Amino acid sequence: MFALFFVHPAAAQTKVTIAIGGGACLCYLPTVLAKQLGEYEKAGLAVELVDLKGGSDALKAVLGGSADVVSGYFDHCVNLAAKKQELQSFVVYDRYPGLVLVVSPKHTGKITSIKDLAGKKVGVSAPGSSTDFFLKYQLKKNGLDPAGTSVIGVGLGATAVAAMEQGQIEAAVMLDPAVTVLQGSHKDLTILSDTRTQKDTLAVFSGEYPGGALYSTTAWVKGHEKEVQGLTNAIMNTLKWIHSHTPEEIMAKMPEGIVGKDKELYLAALKNTLPMYSETGLMDPKGAAAVLAVFSEGSPEVAKANIDVSKTYTNKYVEQFAKTMGTNAK
């Protein structure tokens, strides 16, 4: 039993609960992969991942105290600032949001533009989630009143694909791998808007637009600096691992339940998503400002709130990681 005397220092682990807004979504892959690679343990953390059906549910878990950190879209930090709830993101893993507005295969040919969504039923992961915000922004940008479109929560994975194939909804805001799965069965799938690439993201938002990040209440971040640094290190090491391995190697590390039965489709979706993952982990101040601009346009409450967007994120922990690694965060 001598091994007891040679316990790795990381064995004294602090428990942290992360609520994810849909674990099967490739937009959240770095959070899941970090656990698969043992990066949280290396950082001295015992991380429990709680999988929920949308970002708004993950946010409720943190605000309600049943989780410590959200792995979700940064835009919630900006939206909640208008309600005087202080949230702060501390490591960004998605440079682009990866949101795709897709027409149901049953309505191919009938809906050819965003303007055609007036009065239609459109699926989002959950009302109040980033998919919902994105839909409202797109409708408004195309001269439609968002209130004239019925928003229906359909989740992000198999439930969203089923709702689309059965024609329960006329369109949906989806993310990969669900988009690629749908394309696999329906080659003529109509995509109205796609933010998986830099080109499309710039076309929609006029700037880079951060997607997935780890965030929590500002009070939790301030009171748990050691844990926040550990989580940041784990995500940064995972991002480095992603960018130095093949899509096949990444897929091999993911849980089978997430990859699903059709490995080829998952791999195709992963290849579509890889450009999304950040290489620096840093929040681009212009990206944060773009999120505020989008919300100000879609929400009078945000427009009137006079939000200081620089308080909704911090790059301190990513910069500290870069210093420790002897590299400069750019």
Side-chain angles (χ1 to χ4, degrees):
M1 294 287 110
F2 294 111
L4 290 177
F5 298 103
F6 300 102
V7 174
H8 191 279
Q13 291 182 333
T14 313
K15 189 170 183 295
V16 177
T17 306
I18 301 179
I20 309 185
C25 178
L26 282 167
C27 59
Y28 302 132
L29 175 140
T31 314
V32 178
L33 183 58
K35 191 164 175 78
Q36 297 295 108
L37 295 174
E39 287 296 343
Y40 298 125
E41 285 176 281
K42 282 181 213 161
L45 302 172
V47 166
E48 181 194 357
L49 300 179
V50 181
D51 191 10
L52 299 163
K53 73 168 194 246
S56 51
D57 293 348
L59 175 59
K60 279 178 205 149
V62 165
L63 294 178
S66 64
D68 303 307
V69 174
V70 177
S71 176
Y73 275 40
F74 163 71
D75 52 20
H76 289 288
C77 298
V78 175
N79 193 38
L80 267 284
K83 297 178 170 67
K84 299 287 179 272
Q85 284 182 304
E86 294 182 358
L87 297 164
Q88 195 171 52
S89 103
F90 51 88
V91 59
V92 176
Y93 49 79
D94 292 337
R95 294 193 287 175
Y96 318 127
L99 300 155
V100 187
L101 183 51
V102 187
V103 176
S104 156
K106 294 238 190 266
H107 295 86
T108 300
K110 298 176 210 160
I111 295 171
T112 56
S113 73
I114 292 173
K115 283 188 164 60
D116 295 337
L117 295 177
K120 302 288 192 292
K121 295 196 288 283
V122 183
V124 297
S125 59
S129 285
S130 300
T131 47
D132 187 9
F133 296 142
F134 178 70
L135 174 65
K136 287 182 168 58
Y137 174 70
Q138 289 280 35
L139 293 171
K140 202 152 187 195
K141 196 177 173 204
N142 284 274
L144 300 177
D145 177 1
T149 297
S150 306
V151 172
I152 295 162
V154 294
L156 275 176
T159 50
V161 173
M164 288 285 270
E165 290 195 313
Q166 290 157 17
Q168 295 168 5
I169 45 181
E170 281 128 315
V173 178
M174 303 176 80
L175 287 131
D176 263 328
V179 182
T180 304
V181 167
L182 208 53
Q183 277 178 311
S185 319
H186 307 277
K187 302 290 181 221
D188 59 346
L189 195 71
T190 304
I191 290 180
L192 301 176
S193 181
D194 190 338
T195 63
R196 288 175 290 185
T197 65
Q198 184 180 35
K199 179 173 166 280
D200 285 328
T201 302
L202 295 177
V204 174
F205 300 112
S206 313
E208 285 202 2
Y209 193 95
L214 291 189
Y215 69 86
S216 187
T217 61
T218 305
W220 194 90
V221 173
K222 279 186 184 153
H224 297 81
E225 294 220 23
K226 191 164 153 272
E227 290 86 346
V228 171
Q229 190 63 62
L231 290 170
T232 301
N233 295 355
I235 293 295
M236 289 304 299
N237 283 328
T238 303
L239 289 171
K240 282 177 176 298
W241 194 92
I242 287 170
H243 290 297
S244 59
H245 287 76
T246 65
E248 288 79 4
E249 287 168 326
I250 297 166
M251 181 172 77
K253 289 285 183 189
M254 291 300 283
E256 274 189 26
I258 282 182
V259 173
K261 290 184 185 126
D262 197 330
K263 290 190 173 174
E264 272 182 40
L265 272 178
Y266 185 88
L267 189 63
L270 181 56
K271 285 175 181 172
N272 283 337
T273 309
L274 283 176
M276 253 174 66
Y277 301 130
S278 176
E279 292 183 32
T280 67
L282 293 165
M283 174 65 75
D284 173 5
K286 284 185 193 156
V291 173
L292 178 60
V294 166
F295 275 72
S296 299
E297 202 168 298
S299 159
E301 192 183 6
V302 173
K304 285 186 289 203
N306 229 349
I307 294 165
D308 178 355
V309 81
S310 69
K311 289 184 175 166
T312 61
Y313 66 88
T314 175
N315 281 326
K316 177 172 121 174
Y317 301 97
V318 175
E319 284 162 357
Q320 182 56 44
F321 169 83
K323 264 187 218 152
T324 313
M325 295 297 288
T327 55
N328 290 318
K330 285 179 189 154

